[in-house]
Amino acid sequence: MDLSSTSTDKSLKARASRVAAIAAMHADDVDKAGRFPKEAVDAMKAERLLGIQIPVDCGGEGRSTSEIAELCTIMAQGCAASAMIFAMHQIKVSSLVSHGTDASWHRDFMRRICADQWLLGSATTEGGIGGNLRNSICAIEVEGDRCRLEKDATVISYGKHADAILITSRAHKDAPPTDQVMTVFLKAQYTLEQTHVWDTLGMRGTCSDGFLFKGEAPAEQILPKPFAEIAAQSMLASSHLLWSALWYGIAVDAFAKAQTFVRAAARKAPGAQPPGLVQLAEMSGQLQVIRSNIQAGLASYEQALKDPDRLSSMGFAVAMNNVKIASSEMILPVIHQALRICGIMGYKNGTPYSLGRHLRDAHSAELMISNDRILGNTATMLLVHKQETGLLG
């Protein structure tokens, strides 16, 4: 299961496993009610996991993306929605770590995340542009040392439950849609007027409703680097890699259910090959391919962190896009295979082999961000970029 190129700290994995156990206890209720997984998030805070990516000199543990990806996989085996909240929080933290360490306000903010275990929400979508995070209609207004923003945010990740929101906008009222900034607003600095309800097929516990966002804060809370740089150097890779890791976790849990089912059948008929055994072997191979794809992406990202030019290159963006596309398209066949093995017991809710939630949560993978949009972006880049094809990079 390990996604990290080096062995993840056993105590860190144990912390995530305790969260996963709590998340699993409430996963079906969270899914059925479409409610925020408070128990799992409280457990993340109790285990001090929300600040682990933040550098040690800002109060964190300085954990790598590979280690955090491993935690996403572990948590997803308990509750995919809880793992998605953890992943989205860590994606926002990655922007702070990569682009806020030279700004005193943002360094202090990171210390507060660690000390108080604050949960960070995200508001990059907007009415009129949908999920195209590299465009904004709204613009931040800066007057003296204050900034104000109003945004029709059609999705804000667990918006009602976040302690702060990182939100994108145009840099000023005359800026083009792609000239964007990202600003941190603390909970006391904004209001949310709900406009859309998150009533979805899967990932129901993320509670990513839509809101009219209105905020006012000190202008120093605007991240000092352009959002184009933030998106290319931290958000692109961390979102594709952490999401892929949690989708892999969903598939791992589906495999575990199928394996348990086949073992139970084998005990009932000693000496005979149980139904589903060959399909289980096929699933194992598919999981290994998914795992290898994510591991390669993580290794590529951590190598690119040492080279800013590589991190901002078309080749790197294409590679990260391909990791996401492959991961998101490969997990559903694995879960379908598990369903065929478990049969009606997997189709029914409330059995030890139930797979309905896994299937519904996994369908989000091709839509977050839309694979068609990503493929379109990749196709455009491939017009000018030569694809790397060597086995050794």
Side-chain angles (χ1 to χ4, degrees):
M1 183 201 309
D2 236 336
L3 293 174
S4 178
S5 56
T6 58
S7 181
T8 304
D9 186 307
K10 289 183 179 179
S11 64
L12 182 61
K13 292 171 69 172
R15 288 154 69 187
S17 296
R18 288 192 289 269
V19 172
I22 292 171
M25 291 170 57
H26 302 278
D28 287 336
D29 182 59
V30 164
D31 175 66
K32 185 175 181 179
R35 68 170 180 86
F36 183 71
K38 183 179 184 302
E39 299 87 354
V41 174
D42 284 349
M44 293 174 202
K45 294 181 178 183
E47 296 289 349
R48 313 295 293 175
L49 292 178
L50 297 188
I52 58 172
Q53 184 182 175
I54 291 170
V56 173
D57 63 359
C58 288
E61 299 180 24
R63 298 291 185 171
S64 69
T65 301
S66 292
E67 289 176 303
I68 292 166
E70 179 69 14
L71 304 197
C72 290
T73 295
I74 292 170
M75 291 182 195
Q77 293 170 67
C79 172
S82 299
M84 179 59 75
I85 290 168
F86 179 74
M88 289 192 288
H89 165 85
Q90 294 294 346
I91 291 164
K92 307 323 291 181
V93 172
S94 75
S95 297
L96 294 167
V97 171
S98 298
H99 298 90
T101 53
D102 294 333
S104 59
W105 188 90
H106 293 94
R107 286 181 66 85
D108 182 61
F109 178 55
M110 284 189 273
R111 292 188 184 96
R112 295 165 77 182
I113 293 170
C114 296
D116 299 324
Q117 291 295 293
W118 279 351
L119 180 66
L120 307 186
S122 173
T124 56
T125 60
E126 186 174 3
I129 60 166
N132 186 358
L133 63 85
R134 283 295 292 111
N135 281 269
S136 290
I137 296 172
C138 67
I140 199 155
E141 300 175 17
V142 179
E143 185 176 341
D145 62 354
R146 305 290 294 176
C147 67
R148 298 176 185 83
L149 179 63
E150 182 173 321
K151 179 171 183 171
D152 176 15
T154 49
V155 173
I156 299 183
S157 309
Y158 41 90
K160 291 179 181 177
H161 308 277
D163 297 300
I165 291 174
L166 277 67
I167 188 166
T168 52
S169 66
R170 287 185 294 140
H172 52 84
K173 64 181 180 65
D174 297 319
T178 56
D179 181 5
Q180 298 166 285
V181 292
M182 175 175 277
T183 307
V184 178
F185 284 91
L186 307 181
K187 198 174 189 71
Q189 297 171 335
Y190 59 82
T191 60
L192 298 175
E193 179 185 332
Q194 189 164 343
T195 55
H196 297 84
V197 175
W198 182 255
D199 186 7
T200 52
L201 182 69
M203 291 292 178
R204 292 172 55 78
T206 62
C207 298
S208 299
D209 301 312
F211 299 92
L212 178 62
F213 175 100
K214 295 181 181 179
E216 180 176 345
E220 63 182 341
Q221 294 178 205
I222 302 171
L223 278 158
K225 300 292 179 67
F227 181 66
E229 189 174 322
I230 296 171
Q233 296 186 359
S234 63
M235 278 192 64
L236 171 81
S238 58
S239 60
H240 289 349
L241 293 169
L242 298 187
W243 286 346
S244 292
L246 79 87
W247 296 327
Y248 170 66
I250 300 172
V252 167
D253 194 58
F255 174 84
K257 288 177 180 287
Q259 186 177 37
T260 302
F261 185 89
V262 170
R263 285 173 172 169
R267 286 194 293 271
K268 293 177 182 178
Q273 179 171 301
L277 186 59
V278 172
Q279 292 94 324
L280 193 69
E282 291 176 348
M283 287 176 66
S284 176
Q286 291 168 334
L287 281 176
Q288 182 172 328
V289 172
I290 298 170
R291 177 175 174 268
S292 297
N293 172 55
I294 300 168
Q295 282 182 319
L298 289 164
S300 177
Y301 177 51
E302 294 188 350
Q303 187 63 34
L305 286 173
K306 305 170 187 175
D307 181 357
D309 290 338
R310 169 65 178 165
L311 202 58
S312 299
S313 69
M314 284 189 183
F316 178 73
V318 169
M320 292 300 103
N321 284 352
N322 288 340
V323 170
K324 190 273 183 183
I325 294 291
S327 300
S328 63
E329 292 184 349
M330 292 176 71
I331 62 162
L332 275 169
V334 172
I335 301 171
H336 280 132
Q337 187 84 300
L339 183 62
R340 287 195 292 270
I341 291 172
C342 296
I344 197 67
M345 296 301 288
Y347 188 69
K348 290 175 65 176
N349 292 323
T351 81
Y353 310 105
S354 296
L355 289 162
R357 175 164 50 82
H358 297 65
L359 274 172
R360 289 184 288 102
D361 287 342
H363 272 288
S364 72
E366 294 183 357
L367 308 175
M368 298 176 57
I369 301 163
S370 167
N371 280 7
D372 287 344
R373 185 190 297 277
I374 294 173
L375 287 169
N377 292 339
T378 299
T380 300
M381 288 187 284
L382 288 175
L383 288 174
V384 296
H385 171 73
K386 183 179 179 181
Q387 179 75 21
E388 296 176 4
T389 56
L391 286 174
L392 300 179

